[in-house]
Amino acid sequence: MTLSLTGADLFAMGLVCLAAILLLPFAALFDRRAALVWLLAIIDVFLGGYAFSMAAVDLSEPTLNPWALGAVLVVVGGGVAFGVQRVTDHLSASFEKIANGAGKAVFAFVILMALIQFSVVVLRYVFGVNSIAIQESVTYLHGAVFLLAAGYTLLSNDHVRVDIFYGSASPKRRAHIDFLGTYFFLFPFCLITLWAAAPYVANSWSVREGSTEQSGIQGIFLLKTLIPLFALLLTAAGFTAATRAAGVLRELDNAPNEPHGTALDEAGSDRA
Amino acid sequence: MEFFAEHGICLCAGAAWLDVAMVVVLCALILAGYPVAFSLAGVALIFAVVGLSFGVFDISFLQPFPQRVHGAVMNTTLIAVPMFILMGVILEKSKIAEELLDEMAKLFGSLRGGLGISVTIVGALLAASTGIVGATVVTMGLLSLPTMLRRGYDPAFASGSIAAAGTLGQIIPPSIVLILLGDVISNAYQKAQLEQGVFAPETISVGDLFAGALFPGLMLVGLYLLYQVFTAAFQPAKAPAIPADELGSRKEVWAVAMKTLPPPLLLIVAVLGSILAGAATPTEAASVGAIGALLIAGARRAPAEGGLAAKAPVYGATAALFILVALTSFLDLRLGRTDVSAADQAGVMLAALCCVAVAVGVAASLFRLAKDNALTAITDQTVRVTTMVFAILIGAAMFSLVFRGLGGEETVQAALEAIPGGLVGAVIGVMAIMFLLGFFLDFIEITFVVVPLVAPALLKMGVDPVWLGVMMAINLQTSFLTPPFGFALFYLRGVAPDTVKTADIYRGAIPFIGLQIAALAALTAFPAIATWLPGVLYD
């Protein structure tokens, strides 16, 4: 192995780091057995990395290199050094801010879309003026709305659920569903989206892809960049959702046996 | 469902059954209650991994995924969705729906069964403006159910009327689900024709589907009203009249009604009319609808003590809009021509002035809503509903890519061809499956997941696309009304007072299910109810 750093290595490093970070709420859940969990986590990261390296078509030998290993070690070391739960809570709070911030940023876009589209209608039907660039700007706003607000919508719990059973489930069962769903459904989806979008967006950037129309907005590559952003924001929101669910589970687990000693129990013994 | 899950896992033994197993496992896991959009994608990815390990799935099937997401961004028809949602949310948040219901109840209240009739009519109107079942059922359940019960209506009759009226939202254009369904069916139609070797395929548009759904939708409204009138006539105890003296003078009631009813009605007619006339695309009409709703809300929210002056910008803008339409139809206002007559020049000036007036009115309305802290609530809800819809589209795209990679399309086609009875059997089979899926999936999920799978095969067999879309819409609407799982009944249960028993709600829905089935039968016997209008309008 050589120690040269290519773009593919950087990308792999990022992905593996992300995967490692995503395991934090999981680790925080089992505070007492953290060592075992971390061992599992590391195995999982390597397996995941291996799967990625098998799957990646445009990225040659991306994962099993010293850089990625180093990145994982930094994340793992950081987690161990500063306390898994503390790191998780801090990250969760900042991720929540990021996801919600992106969601709130697009509030104005829906009104703007209607106003611009209405102006297009008036210009076209009354004055016979057509502007491709103005029409395309509506498309940009449209894409930004649902791609940037996906994480926010997850945290505000507005993605449709089938609540025949969920609606009447206990808080503990709900937390279990949210927690497992985040790991088995949401995170794999986000990671695969990042993996699939990387070459797609990279190609678009390399030619600075623009509109198919001469007078359109020459920023399709920026519009396409929203796709990995969508996955990242959703990941951030998923991290927060998993941390919340883990918090609920920990609280419920610890509630009955207050006197024994984890961090949350100490808070409990204050009450007693 | 557990049984099926176990069954699904058993079937995994044969890798060829992975596609079927995927659907079965999805149905089981989706019931756990994790957001549907991500359950779809997650289940798909789990099966992609299983397929990879069996060597029956090629990872390259996942590569077009970003292209699919980008397609959802660039799709010009789907841009109509957030704008229609904006229009609906504005109408809902500015209490225009409430006022409509109130006024209708006063207008018809003195008739026997009058409250039921007003619920049906408002349901149809609201439906046309928002197209979101949950919102309509909840609004009307909260507002009308207590009134109807207080006036001595039979709880079953009252709750059935409300739930049924709430589901009208899906079938009466311009509903959001019809836009989504129109987009999906038009893709399926092109695909079916290409596979048959037609390389200049005919297209169908959202406008076609709107036109096709108009008469069946109105037919349903008519059937509901007939049922309510008959019930009131033959079982007066179920739907008594409100004594006339409690309603105030007729004159006053009419005066208020004439003030509150026309604006929303005009808006709906303008939006729907411009689409059906082919003058505007659904996206353009949706923006007009959203701006119109904004103006109505601005006028409603103006402080009463301000009098006419407070409403002047909005009224000015409305008048300016009418003048613009009139000017455009009588004069040629196009810019950039060389010889322009004096009349046209004056027209352009006037039109420019009108535009300024409209801008002032819109700005005043926005300012009004912002001052009342309503603007953030409106945009917030619009963003969340829009994102919810498109997240399902994205999750379903992932699901369909994996399903295709596992050979699901061939399986569906083979299954449909294997159903005895040929085309009729296949249609009945698909409708039955969709009806059952309607118990736990919403219209949007079914549109994005199920329709792309079954529609191409059915269309290839020669089914009319507009007819198929309308049948699917009415079928799902029936499913949402059917106990014990119907969505509309759930929503109503959530807001109904405890004095209304769940059994009452179920019992009240049954006659309406009968009417729905009658409508489906009528459409089957006379497909022209759906296909006539689009044929006349667009051919």
Side-chain angles (χ1 to χ4, degrees):
Chain A
M1 278 187 219
T2 55
L3 276 172
S4 64
L5 188 63
T6 65
D9 288 336
L10 270 176
F11 176 69
M13 229 165 81
L15 264 188
V16 174
C17 259
L18 189 64
I21 292 172
L22 295 186
L23 287 164
L24 280 174
F26 186 68
L29 181 64
F30 303 97
D31 208 27
R32 270 173 269 179
R33 282 161 283 175
L36 177 69
V37 170
W38 276 110
L39 192 67
L40 284 174
I42 293 166
I43 295 172
D44 183 279
V45 168
F46 274 96
L47 284 179
Y50 184 65
F52 270 121
S53 69
M54 297 298 287
V57 178
D58 289 354
L59 307 163
S60 56
E61 295 185 32
T63 20
L64 292 173
N65 64 50
W67 292 105
L69 250 174
V72 173
L73 279 178
V74 168
V75 173
V76 172
V80 172
F82 296 105
V84 171
Q85 237 178 68
R86 248 180 71 202
V87 173
T88 309
D89 288 344
H90 274 284
L91 278 178
S92 163
S94 2
F95 283 168
E96 186 176 359
K97 272 184 205 142
I98 294 171
N100 284 345
K104 296 209 162 95
V106 298
F107 277 10
F109 286 13
V110 286
I111 295 275
L112 218 54
M113 267 176 87
L115 290 177
I116 296 177
Q117 184 67 52
F118 183 71
S119 318
V120 169
V121 171
V122 172
L123 283 176
R124 178 175 304 158
Y125 289 96
V126 177
F127 298 110
V129 176
N130 286 309
S131 164
I132 291 166
I134 296 180
Q135 180 64 62
E136 281 190 355
S137 70
V138 179
T139 300
Y140 279 70
L141 293 173
H142 169 67
V145 166
F146 67 86
L147 289 174
L148 294 183
Y152 169 68
T153 308
L154 185 82
L155 289 181
S156 69
N157 202 9
D158 276 298
H159 284 297
V160 177
R161 299 168 184 268
V162 176
D163 52 7
I164 299 174
F165 300 122
Y166 188 87
S168 56
S170 66
K172 187 173 177 179
R173 165 156 284 188
R174 284 189 192 195
H176 267 131
I177 291 168
D178 286 342
F179 192 80
L180 293 175
T182 308
Y183 275 96
F184 281 96
F185 295 159
L186 186 67
F187 285 157
F189 166 66
C190 294
L191 293 176
I192 286 287
T193 305
L194 282 178
W195 166 75
Y200 182 71
V201 176
N203 287 339
S204 181
W205 270 83
S206 66
V207 295
R208 294 286 187 279
E209 185 181 2
S211 169
T212 45
E213 305 284 341
Q214 191 79 56
S215 56
I217 301 174
Q218 305 303 324
I220 293 290
F221 67 103
L222 291 175
L223 195 56
K224 284 186 174 172
T225 310
L226 288 175
I227 298 171
L229 263 181
F230 156 80
L232 283 174
L233 287 168
L234 212 45
T235 314
F239 186 94
T240 304
T243 310
R244 279 184 196 169
V248 171
L249 288 179
R250 227 176 21 233
E251 217 166 310
L252 290 175
D253 276 348
N254 291 342
N257 47 351
E258 279 173 352
H260 308 289
T262 59
L264 259 164
D265 286 340
E266 280 160 29
S269 58
D270 286 346
R271 259 184 285 125
Chain B
M1 273 302 147
E2 304 267 77
F3 166 77
F4 280 110
E6 280 161 22
H7 225 65
I9 290 160
C10 296
L11 291 170
C12 292
W17 286 90
L18 272 180
D19 47 359
V20 180
M22 180 166 142
V23 175
V24 175
V25 170
L26 173 74
C27 291
L29 286 182
I30 221 167
L31 288 175
Y34 196 70
V36 175
F38 309 119
S39 302
L40 278 166
V43 169
L45 289 175
I46 290 169
F47 273 85
V49 171
V50 176
L52 271 174
S53 58
F54 274 102
V56 292
F57 181 76
D58 186 355
I59 193 81
S60 63
F61 272 100
L62 288 180
Q63 279 177 332
F65 178 66
Q67 185 62 52
R68 292 285 192 96
V69 179
H70 187 63
V73 176
M74 300 298 280
N75 187 318
T76 47
T77 307
L78 293 183
I79 296 180
V81 173
M83 282 186 270
F84 270 126
I85 293 174
L86 178 65
M87 168 177 153
V89 172
I90 293 175
L91 289 179
E92 186 203 320
K93 292 259 177 204
S94 55
K95 313 268 184 229
I96 291 164
E98 277 185 50
E99 273 183 26
L100 263 178
L101 206 54
D102 226 37
E103 287 312 311
M104 282 283 182
K106 280 186 189 150
L107 272 185
F108 292 104
S110 57
L111 303 174
R112 263 192 275 164
L115 288 178
I117 292 170
S118 68
V119 161
T120 302
I121 293 178
V122 174
L125 289 178
L126 275 187
S129 62
T130 67
I132 303 170
V133 193
T136 322
V137 174
V138 166
T139 313
M140 294 201 303
L142 279 173
L143 299 175
S144 321
L145 193 55
T147 318
M148 290 170 95
L149 294 174
R150 204 174 59 236
R151 297 294 179 182
Y153 271 63
D154 175 46
F157 180 69
S159 50
S161 299
I162 291 174
T167 60
L168 281 172
Q170 323 207 312
I171 177 80
I172 296 186
S175 91
I176 291 159
V177 281
L178 282 181
I179 297 178
L180 302 175
L181 190 63
D183 191 55
V184 171
I185 287 198
S186 102
N187 290 338
Y189 192 42
Q190 301 228 352
K191 195 170 153 213
Q193 291 181 78
L194 284 175
E195 280 174 16
Q196 282 174 311
V198 182
F199 288 105
E202 285 176 44
T203 54
I204 74 150
S205 67
V206 172
D208 287 316
L209 200 57
F210 276 6
L214 189 62
F215 280 127
L218 293 178
M219 180 175 80
L220 278 173
V221 176
L223 285 174
Y224 287 5
L225 290 178
L226 270 181
Y227 165 69
Q228 282 162 336
V229 169
F230 270 92
T231 309
F234 294 108
Q235 294 169 299
K238 276 190 173 181
I242 302 175
D245 49 305
E246 283 184 37
L247 290 171
S249 82
R250 296 303 288 163
K251 232 176 163 180
E252 267 173 44
V253 169
W254 276 103
V256 177
M258 286 330 284
K259 259 167 83 182
T260 43
L261 295 184
L265 268 179
L266 200 68
L267 185 67
I268 291 160
V269 169
V271 168
L272 196 53
S274 59
I275 298 173
L276 291 184
T281 64
T283 310
E284 291 167 340
S287 75
V288 176
I291 297 296
L294 196 62
L295 288 175
I296 296 177
R300 287 289 152 83
R301 288 248 176 183
E305 67 271 20
L308 203 58
K311 297 186 178 184
V314 175
Y315 286 151
T318 315
L321 277 177
F322 281 108
I323 297 173
L324 270 181
V325 173
L327 281 175
T328 314
S329 28
F330 293 120
L331 297 171
D332 185 356
L333 304 176
R334 282 173 301 144
L335 303 175
R337 291 173 301 151
T338 41
D339 50 335
V340 184
S341 72
D344 284 355
Q345 248 172 3
V348 171
M349 303 283 260
L350 188 55
L353 272 179
C354 286
C355 288
V356 173
V358 172
V360 168
V362 171
S365 298
L366 279 174
F367 181 69
R368 188 75 254 157
L369 288 173
K371 216 175 161 192
D372 292 356
N373 288 327
L375 195 58
T376 316
I378 287 170
T379 51
D380 188 2
Q381 198 181 340
T382 309
V383 164
R384 283 182 284 144
V385 175
T386 306
T387 309
M388 178 272 282
V389 171
F390 282 92
I392 295 171
L393 191 159
I394 291 170
M398 181 69 94
F399 188 84
S400 74
L401 285 175
V402 175
F403 190 73
R404 219 165 50 168
L406 291 170
E409 284 192 331
E410 291 80 6
T411 312
V412 169
Q413 185 149 4
L416 286 179
E417 278 163 6
I419 294 178
L423 182 57
V424 180
V427 171
I428 293 175
V430 166
M431 290 296 164
I433 290 171
M434 285 178 79
F435 184 82
L436 291 178
L437 286 175
F439 285 164
F440 52 97
L441 290 182
D442 206 345
F443 204 150
I444 303 166
E445 286 111 274
I446 293 179
T447 304
F448 289 139
V449 180
V450 185
V451 177
L453 295 179
V454 295
L458 286 181
L459 293 172
K460 237 157 102 179
M461 293 161 119
V463 180
D464 183 274
V466 170
W467 180 81
L468 184 67
V470 175
M471 285 293 278
M472 284 174 167
I474 298 186
N475 181 24
L476 280 177
Q477 196 205 340
T478 315
S479 170
F480 296 154
L481 270 179
T482 304
F485 288 127
F487 264 107
L489 307 180
F490 269 123
Y491 284 123
L492 188 60
R493 175 69 275 175
V495 295
D498 290 335
T499 49
V500 179
K501 292 195 219 64
T502 305
D504 288 334
I505 297 181
Y506 288 173
R507 209 152 36 83
I510 289 168
F512 288 97
I513 298 170
L515 296 175
Q516 293 286 127
I517 294 173
L520 281 172
L523 266 173
T524 313
F526 309 103
I529 302 172
T531 54
W532 176 77
L533 187 61
V536 174
L537 284 180
Y538 298 110
D539 287 339

